[in-house]
Amino acid sequence: MSHALNALDHALRGDPSGLSFLEQTASIYVLDATTPGHPTTYGWWDFLNNALTEVERYEEGLFAAINNNSNTYPFNNNYATSNETNTTANPLDSHVRLLATITRRIARRPPSSDKRLIGTCLSNASMTHLALLSNPETSRMLLQSNEQLRERDMGRIAAIVFDYSFHDNYNEKKKKNNTNGNNAVVHNSAFADPVAMEMMCGVIAANAVSTGPNAVRHLISNWIVPSCESLPSFSVVAILNHVAGETLGKGCPLGVKDVVKECVSEVFVKALGPLLVEASRESEEGNDESMIDGGGGDNGNHRTAAMTLRAFDSWCKASSIGAVQLRNFFASTKAVLSSTALGSNSLLLAQQVAADNTKARISILAELVSAVGLQRLRFMERQQKICRCLARTSARVLSESKDFITSGAMKIPMNGLVELLFKAIAHPSIDVCGIALEAFSDIAPSNTELSTRLLPYLQGKAILPVQLRNDTERIEEFIDFRDRFLKEALVACYTGCRSYYLTSCASAIEEFCQAAALPHVPHQLEAALFCVVAVSSKAQKSADKQTLNEQLMKITSALKNNAFATTSDRFVMARMCSFINQYASSLAQCDQATVFEMASELALTSFNLSVAAECNQNNMPVTRHVSALSEASNGLQKLLCAAPTRFSAPAAISALETAWNMPYKGSRIAIEDREILCKGLCVVIASLPPGQDVLSKLTHPILSCINVTVKEAQTNTCERRSILQRLANEIQLLASVVKHYVRTDAPERFELLSAMLQKSWPSVAIIVEKYSSEENVAESILQLMKESLSLYRSSGDVILLQEACSLSNTVAAKKRASLPTFLLFVQTVIEMHGSKAEITSNADDNENSTAFRGIIKQLMILSYEGVMTASVVRGQTMSSLPRDSEEVPDVMSAMFKTLSKCMAKCPIFFMSMSRDGQAAGELVLLSVQASPGAISMAEVDVSSSAIHFLDVLITKLDSLQLEHFELSEKNVVMTVIHKVKHLIQTDAMSSLSSNWVEVEASITPTLTSNRFQLGDECRTTVLQVMKRCTDSNSYPTSNFGDFIFDVWDMHQTDDSHATVGGQMVHDFVTKYNTN
């Protein structure tokens, strides 16, 4: 294999050297001066020429070896093994595709960009070949040689794409290979590959468009259209498609779109229209369905027809032509409006044009509805690809006709189209069914009759198919289908027939609960419950509460009476608990109290059964979507929160206590499910009369487990990891108890919770000292400390607060990875107690204020030092952190949020804050110095938090009141304020100015550098807009964001220089020009 194919081969294998070589060859030119007196340049066009030659030579030798039944292959190619002689795959298919893909990208580069790159190459080489390149004739010769080579390469590609042998042989050889099996195998050229063929057609189109409007006009009017009958149809329509597509790109030269609009009529009438008719007719006459069923999509007529339709679409977009105008191109008699007859009344003209367009659109859609509806007779399940195509076509027609059907403007019957879509819903393929469901989701809400007919189909599709019940992977796919497509269709169906929907589903659930325990019944029951759960949100917002309550009572009674004969199945139990979870608030409001009691009993029993089933799972495959235990936990928690007073009876409390203690008796329950249950139990406990001490029953098992686990961790080193994980889970659960109990807003019981929490302090202190280096333990401790802050509400709690902060400081010092969680803890402390630390006047100071200042100062200093790396020396800031560290963005964002919180709550104290031995205001000054670097970071959260900090800082500086301070204190604060303002003006805000002279001096170096690649005309427009922006009264600030985005967007191309003088730059200048 020669060097060009070898480079492509290395790139296809992912070799960095091969990828680098191709990228450099496509981006630059190099000078070859090894031959005295005959310098040459080498770039992509040279590489392409060599590669095409090597492909031709390789295939000539390969096919000769195959025909001679020889095991010797040209160039010792590793791909051409004896095993590959029995396939039609050419070993160079991928190489040619890659070659065409890169060439198309390079072809978008206009000749002027090639000249610029060669000029850069010669300029760089002039240092070593000054005598050689001092002659202007040499430079001119090199430029001319490269231009001629580009034209020659385009000629070779054109010869390939218009070579009938590559088109006819591909289909004929495919047919022979399909009919002859492994005998008499005929190989195709890599150039005959349809994918590579289309890419090479795109190369020709891209080259013409980048060359300019004259080249496009010559390609279309002088070459393609006049010769379309004698050229291969696929190549003709592919080139036309890509020509229109290239005009929509960012690098489209000025004037090309005008040429496309001029040529649209002849392209439609003389080329695309006749070729589409011919390709469709030959496909029907040949009755060849190989593209859709069994032939791998290699039928040439089908490919040509599909590409022609794509070309129509591309040309319509490029020329702003709608379906009505498109039809008029082919109409024998055109209804043309007379602007003379309408006079100067442009409004009347516009109204008449709009009315005619609407009528024409309805007429077109009516024809499509009739034509597509007739295809229902061809809708056969064995032809899945045909079914998918017909379903997608029908869905699109129905979607486009929706407004006219609703308004009654379309009078034709829709029976055929609707019948086809119903067949699609019943199709076993979820892909085909999903397409039809999306179509019905748009129209069912406004059509009661259609919704009523649709519901049984949807209920049937919700049942898990028999063939999937032991296939975990396919079950996952089916459940995704139900959640994404079927659920949306069910909601639309419910909107169209609310009462019938609930009544039908409730009756189905009753029937399945009473049916014999046959294998298919659980899945039918689960499907019926799914249909009810899918519409829970919309059903509970309905005004007809009576109908909803009646059906809920019927469903709950049926489930209760089933006594887990059918509902013991894991899938059914999970769906039943999901039903209870979604309808918990409505069940609590039912007129009959027994409904809620039955639901509660079902949820609690399901929880207990699910816990037992974790150790003894049945044969049903486990999926990530189905967890009966999680659903039971959610359902029980929702019931507890919906009506907590209904669980105040001793029997109910005892049952809940048993469920809560199950993990401590050997049962496996995930920490997430325990936290969910914890929330509901906290609500129930808070609703009990003050005399009942149930809180201790909730916290005692946790505290006991923590104490035992700490002792076990000290003695058992073999299972240390699992012990520490259990310890972290229990601490996390204790934090959840504090969090949810505090949110119940029962402050009279906070002292009891605080006292219980203090019992855990000795064990927590040991954990912090010995095990906080483990990340999961450190995170749990910090979470507990953060939640416990809500218990310290009075001045007398300052000692407890100091203990919590001390423990948190120790954790943060031992485990830097937990710094974001620690910063969140600091923010909470400042939010709750920051105002108590603020410096107001000596008269207002007290012992508690001093204590709060000590707490907050210690937290802030530790936070700031934690953000700094060990290598940061004095005077450096957060911007010194290594940018490649993954935790840096999270830490910096959290730190700036902490700084903002501190500045908002205690600004004077914050501005005087410093480490021991440092001048007052050290922390705020370092933070301001770090802001510019943070704002320039790519992470949005970091930059926005830094900007917010500066905003809070500036706002507070303008509103500080220092009249009541002593002169010495006032001087200290004022000194810090002056330093902060100076830093803000010189560093953080140095680039912001409303003075045009300063702004121009700041932005001109960027606009005149190589980074700005949009040309002089665009540069002038940018300067004009920026100048107007300095005057807030003459330019709307809302447009500035669009302006910046447009400048950025024009640079997002492979070759930004190609946009200079192009259509996009012209449109930009026109849009923002002052004139």
Side-chain angles (χ1 to χ4, degrees):
M1 185 177 289
S2 300
H3 82 93
L5 289 181
N6 190 50
L8 292 169
D9 187 60
H10 279 279
L12 288 170
R13 296 174 185 270
D15 185 359
S17 61
L19 295 170
S20 176
F21 174 80
L22 292 183
E23 184 62 32
Q24 292 183 16
T25 306
S27 304
I28 62 174
Y29 284 87
V30 294
L31 179 68
D32 180 9
T34 55
T35 304
H38 297 283
T40 59
T41 57
Y42 186 88
W44 183 259
W45 302 119
D46 301 88
F47 179 84
L48 174 63
N49 186 53
N50 294 337
L52 293 175
T53 301
E54 290 178 16
V55 171
E56 293 171 350
R57 291 175 54 204
Y58 178 88
E59 290 187 340
E60 182 180 355
L62 175 64
F63 298 156
I66 293 174
N67 292 334
N68 295 330
N69 294 322
S70 173
N71 290 327
T72 303
Y73 297 95
F75 315 121
N76 295 320
N77 178 33
N78 294 329
Y79 287 111
T81 63
S82 58
N83 292 332
E84 301 232 355
T85 59
N86 291 328
T87 69
T88 57
N90 190 298
L92 295 185
D93 280 350
S94 299
H95 300 69
V96 174
R97 291 182 185 183
L98 178 59
L99 183 69
T101 300
I102 301 178
T103 303
R104 183 177 180 183
R105 179 164 67 95
I106 306 306
R108 292 192 177 109
R109 196 164 65 200
S112 59
S113 291
D114 270 347
K115 293 180 180 179
R116 177 182 57 80
L117 291 175
I118 293 179
T120 302
C121 168
L122 299 180
S123 176
N124 294 335
S126 62
M127 302 281 297
T128 55
H129 301 84
L130 181 61
L132 179 65
L133 300 176
S134 60
N135 185 0
E137 184 63 23
T138 302
S139 299
R140 187 192 65 78
M141 181 269 296
L142 292 174
L143 291 172
Q144 184 178 7
S145 175
N146 185 75
E147 185 176 353
Q148 292 174 350
L149 180 59
R150 176 171 180 164
E151 292 179 359
R152 184 162 64 250
D153 286 343
M154 289 300 116
R156 294 188 67 178
I157 294 177
I160 292 172
V161 300
F162 291 128
D163 188 341
Y164 266 106
S165 64
F166 293 135
H167 295 266
D168 295 338
N169 285 351
Y170 187 84
N171 297 311
E172 291 298 325
K173 291 174 183 178
K174 271 291 186 181
K175 186 178 297 184
K176 288 181 181 179
N177 289 321
N178 289 335
T179 56
N180 296 339
N182 291 331
N183 299 320
V185 175
V186 184
H187 278 263
N188 284 305
S189 168
F191 294 130
D193 173 37
V195 177
M197 180 67 68
E198 182 188 347
M199 291 178 176
M200 288 187 287
C201 291
V203 170
I204 296 176
N207 180 73
V209 171
S210 65
T211 305
N214 291 333
V216 174
R217 182 180 286 107
H218 173 75
L219 176 67
I220 296 174
S221 300
N222 299 342
W223 191 9
I224 299 296
V225 173
S227 307
C228 63
E229 294 182 359
S230 58
L231 298 174
S233 300
F234 180 79
S235 296
V236 170
V237 296
I239 291 175
L240 291 175
N241 172 55
H242 288 297
V243 166
E246 293 292 334
T247 63
L248 302 174
K250 298 175 182 177
C252 177
L254 184 64
V256 170
K257 284 189 177 181
D258 295 333
V259 172
V260 168
K261 291 180 180 179
E262 293 173 7
C263 299
V264 65
S265 178
E266 61 175 337
V267 168
F268 282 173
V269 176
K270 297 180 180 180
L272 295 181
L275 291 176
L276 177 61
V277 173
E278 179 184 0
S280 302
R281 183 178 61 250
E282 292 183 0
S283 297
E284 291 295 331
E285 290 177 355
N287 195 25
D288 189 349
E289 294 182 349
S290 62
M291 180 181 179
I292 300 177
D293 189 17
D298 298 320
N299 179 268
N301 293 317
H302 286 142
R303 285 199 309 274
T304 302
M307 182 60 66
T308 307
L309 292 175
R310 287 173 55 189
F312 271 117
D313 183 56
S314 298
W315 277 78
C316 287
K317 290 179 180 178
S319 306
S320 301
I321 292 176
V324 176
Q325 294 91 330
L326 178 62
R327 187 183 67 171
N328 288 338
F329 277 112
F330 303 99
S332 56
T333 57
K334 300 179 182 179
V336 182
L337 288 172
S338 173
S339 58
T340 306
L342 293 174
S344 60
N345 192 339
S346 58
L347 177 60
L348 180 61
L349 174 62
Q351 291 175 342
Q352 184 169 343
V353 170
D356 288 347
N357 284 341
T358 301
K359 292 179 181 178
R361 186 162 179 254
I362 293 175
S363 176
I364 294 172
L365 287 172
E367 294 178 12
L368 286 173
V369 167
S370 300
V372 174
L374 292 174
Q375 301 301 314
R376 67 186 184 278
L377 302 176
R378 300 180 60 187
F379 201 90
M380 295 173 288
E381 293 183 0
R382 62 182 178 83
Q383 296 176 318
Q384 181 172 327
K385 294 182 179 180
I386 293 180
C387 294
R388 186 170 63 246
C389 293
L390 289 174
R392 190 169 298 280
T393 304
S394 304
R396 183 62 184 271
V397 172
L398 182 63
S399 176
E400 294 295 332
S401 308
K402 179 183 66 174
D403 294 337
F404 299 119
I405 296 173
T406 305
S407 63
M410 187 174 291
K411 305 297 184 181
I412 67 167
M414 307 289 293
N415 297 340
L417 184 66
V418 172
E419 185 66 31
L420 191 151
L421 288 171
F422 273 117
K423 286 187 176 183
I425 290 179
H427 195 278
S429 168
I430 59 176
D431 295 330
V432 176
C433 179
I435 295 170
L437 291 180
E438 286 185 302
F440 278 125
S441 297
D442 290 335
I443 197 169
S446 59
N447 193 318
T448 302
E449 181 181 355
L450 180 64
S451 299
T452 303
R453 181 185 175 189
L454 178 63
L455 181 58
Y457 285 85
L458 302 182
Q459 291 171 330
K461 294 303 294 187
I463 301 174
L464 180 67
V466 177
Q467 64 270 22
L468 305 184
R469 292 174 187 175
N470 294 315
D471 190 335
T472 302
E473 182 177 351
R474 297 182 68 189
I475 287 180
E476 298 275 4
E477 184 180 0
F478 176 77
I479 294 177
D480 280 335
F481 158 75
R482 290 205 309 186
D483 291 338
R484 291 178 54 200
F485 297 101
L486 188 57
K487 184 177 180 179
E488 183 179 352
L490 286 168
V491 172
C493 184
Y494 170 80
T495 306
C497 56
R498 298 174 186 269
S499 298
Y500 175 77
Y501 184 101
L502 291 176
T503 303
S504 174
C505 292
S507 299
I509 293 172
E510 276 189 318
E511 178 183 349
F512 298 139
C513 285
Q514 297 170 3
L518 298 176
H520 63 276
V521 173
H523 299 285
Q524 293 175 325
L525 177 56
E526 191 271 342
L529 286 168
F530 173 83
C531 294
V532 177
V533 172
V535 300
S536 59
S537 177
K538 203 169 188 66
Q540 293 181 95
K541 294 178 182 178
S542 173
D544 190 3
K545 299 295 183 182
Q546 182 177 356
T547 302
L548 175 62
N549 292 341
E550 290 176 356
Q551 302 308 322
L552 290 179
M553 182 178 65
K554 184 185 298 186
I555 294 172
T556 308
S557 300
L559 294 172
K560 177 66 172 62
N561 294 332
N562 182 261
F564 289 92
T566 305
T567 54
S568 59
D569 180 273
R570 290 177 56 241
F571 277 80
V572 181
M573 187 184 298
R575 191 62 60 192
M576 178 180 68
C577 293
S578 177
F579 161 76
I580 296 172
N581 175 22
Q582 297 297 328
Y583 286 97
S585 58
S586 297
L587 290 170
Q589 298 172 7
C590 284
D591 298 333
Q592 296 186 14
T594 55
V595 176
F596 185 83
E597 294 174 1
M598 288 188 293
S600 301
E601 184 177 347
L602 285 171
L604 189 56
T605 306
S606 298
F607 180 86
N608 295 331
L609 292 175
S610 300
V611 172
E614 288 294 316
C615 301
N616 185 24
Q617 295 180 354
N618 56 23
N619 294 327
M620 182 64 69
V622 180
T623 73
R624 60 183 171 85
H625 297 272
V626 179
S627 173
L629 180 57
S630 295
E631 293 293 349
S633 301
N634 277 297
L636 188 56
Q637 177 251 318
K638 286 293 182 66
L639 291 174
L640 295 174
C641 294
T645 57
R646 297 194 182 186
F647 295 90
S648 59
I653 294 294
S654 177
L656 293 174
E657 183 181 352
T658 301
W660 177 252
N661 288 326
M662 291 178 75
Y664 303 104
K665 296 180 179 180
S667 300
R668 294 183 303 177
I669 304 179
I671 183 63
E672 295 81 8
D673 296 328
R674 297 172 68 189
E675 286 186 289
I676 291 172
L677 184 60
C678 173
K679 178 180 179 180
L681 291 175
C682 288
V683 175
V684 172
I685 294 172
S687 67
L688 295 175
Q692 299 188 33
D693 182 19
V694 182
L695 181 61
S696 61
K697 297 181 180 180
L698 184 67
T699 58
H700 178 72
I702 303 175
L703 298 178
S704 299
C705 184
I706 290 176
N707 295 331
V708 172
T709 308
V710 169
K711 294 178 182 179
E712 188 178 355
Q714 294 173 334
T715 58
N716 189 345
T717 57
C718 298
E719 300 179 1
R720 177 187 175 91
R721 183 174 296 275
S722 62
I723 293 173
L724 292 181
Q725 182 60 57
R726 186 166 73 249
L727 185 61
N729 289 344
E730 294 302 319
I731 297 172
Q732 183 179 342
L733 191 60
L734 184 60
S736 182
V737 171
V738 177
K739 172 184 176 181
H740 296 303
Y741 193 78
V742 169
R743 291 185 178 181
T744 60
D745 199 19
E748 67 278 359
R749 303 182 185 181
F750 286 177
E751 292 183 3
L752 180 61
L753 180 60
S754 179
M756 292 180 179
L757 190 60
Q758 289 181 54
K759 293 180 181 180
S760 67
W761 239 236
S763 297
V764 171
I766 295 175
I767 296 170
V768 169
E769 184 64 29
K770 294 187 175 182
Y771 309 118
S772 58
S773 58
E774 297 289 333
E775 184 173 356
N776 54 351
V777 176
E779 290 287 333
S780 299
I781 290 290
L782 289 174
Q783 187 67 25
L784 175 61
M785 295 300 103
K786 173 180 170 294
E787 299 300 341
S788 66
L789 292 175
S790 302
L791 300 175
Y792 312 138
R793 301 196 172 192
S794 64
S795 300
D797 295 328
V798 67
I799 297 177
L800 299 177
L801 179 62
Q802 288 174 331
E803 293 180 3
C805 293
S806 176
L807 291 173
S808 300
N809 292 343
T810 304
V811 173
K814 288 191 172 219
K815 191 63 180 177
R816 294 293 184 184
S818 61
L819 192 56
T821 306
F822 174 73
L823 290 172
L824 190 60
F825 167 80
V826 177
Q827 293 174 32
T828 307
V829 173
I830 296 174
E831 176 67 29
M832 297 182 64
H833 306 290
S835 58
K836 302 171 187 175
E838 176 62 329
I839 301 174
T840 54
S841 64
N842 291 330
D844 296 333
D845 265 351
N846 53 51
E847 184 178 350
N848 284 333
S849 298
T850 304
F852 281 120
R853 287 173 197 154
I855 292 172
I856 293 178
K857 179 179 178 180
Q858 184 182 15
L859 292 174
M860 290 297 296
I861 296 299
L862 183 60
S863 300
Y864 199 89
E865 290 178 343
V867 174
M868 309 292 288
T869 59
S871 61
V872 175
V873 297
R874 181 181 174 185
Q876 290 182 310
T877 65
M878 288 185 291
S879 58
S880 306
L881 285 169
R883 298 297 176 86
D884 57 348
S885 179
E886 294 182 359
E887 68 271 10
V888 166
D890 292 337
V891 170
M892 291 189 67
S893 174
M895 186 64 208
F896 275 110
K897 291 176 182 178
T898 306
L899 295 170
S900 301
K901 189 74 69 176
C902 193
M903 188 65 198
K905 289 293 183 178
C906 47
I908 298 177
F909 175 59
F910 174 59
M911 285 192 294
S912 64
M913 198 179 295
S914 63
R915 291 175 289 184
D916 294 339
Q918 302 296 323
E922 177 201 20
L923 197 58
V924 68
L925 294 175
L926 291 175
S927 302
V928 174
Q929 289 175 355
S931 299
I935 293 174
S936 64
M937 290 184 69
E939 290 77 9
V940 176
D941 197 30
V942 176
S943 58
S944 62
S945 59
I947 293 172
H948 178 66
F949 164 67
L950 292 177
D951 180 47
V952 173
L953 179 62
I954 294 171
T955 303
K956 286 294 182 180
L957 289 178
D958 292 337
S959 61
L960 290 179
Q961 302 292 331
L962 304 176
E963 294 83 0
H964 301 292
F965 288 87
E966 295 291 338
L967 181 61
S968 58
E969 295 177 341
K970 186 175 181 179
N971 289 338
V972 172
V973 176
M974 290 303 299
T975 301
V976 176
I977 291 177
H978 288 312
K979 290 180 179 179
V980 170
K981 289 185 176 180
H982 176 72
L983 283 175
I984 292 175
Q985 292 172 356
T986 57
D987 292 343
M989 300 295 181
S990 60
S991 61
L992 303 179
S993 174
S994 60
N995 187 310
W996 169 242
V997 176
E998 297 178 1
V999 173
E1000 185 179 23
S1002 175
I1003 65 175
T1004 298
T1006 300
L1007 295 178
T1008 55
S1009 67
N1010 292 332
R1011 288 178 290 180
F1012 186 85
Q1013 302 175 351
L1014 303 179
D1016 295 336
E1017 187 178 17
C1018 188
R1019 181 182 297 109
T1020 302
T1021 301
V1022 170
L1023 286 171
Q1024 290 176 350
V1025 172
M1026 297 294 285
K1027 184 176 182 180
R1028 279 180 284 158
C1029 288
T1030 58
D1031 184 1
S1032 58
N1033 296 325
S1034 64
Y1035 194 80
T1037 55
S1038 59
N1039 294 346
F1040 187 72
D1042 295 337
F1043 163 74
I1044 293 297
F1045 176 81
D1046 289 344
V1047 175
W1048 174 85
D1049 188 49
M1050 286 189 292
H1051 280 85
Q1052 307 310 303
T1053 60
D1054 292 331
D1055 181 16
S1056 298
H1057 291 281
T1059 60
V1060 177
Q1063 186 68 45
M1064 180 173 280
V1065 170
H1066 174 76
D1067 296 340
F1068 174 84
V1069 172
T1070 304
K1071 179 179 179 180
Y1072 293 104
N1073 201 315
T1074 54
N1075 296 328

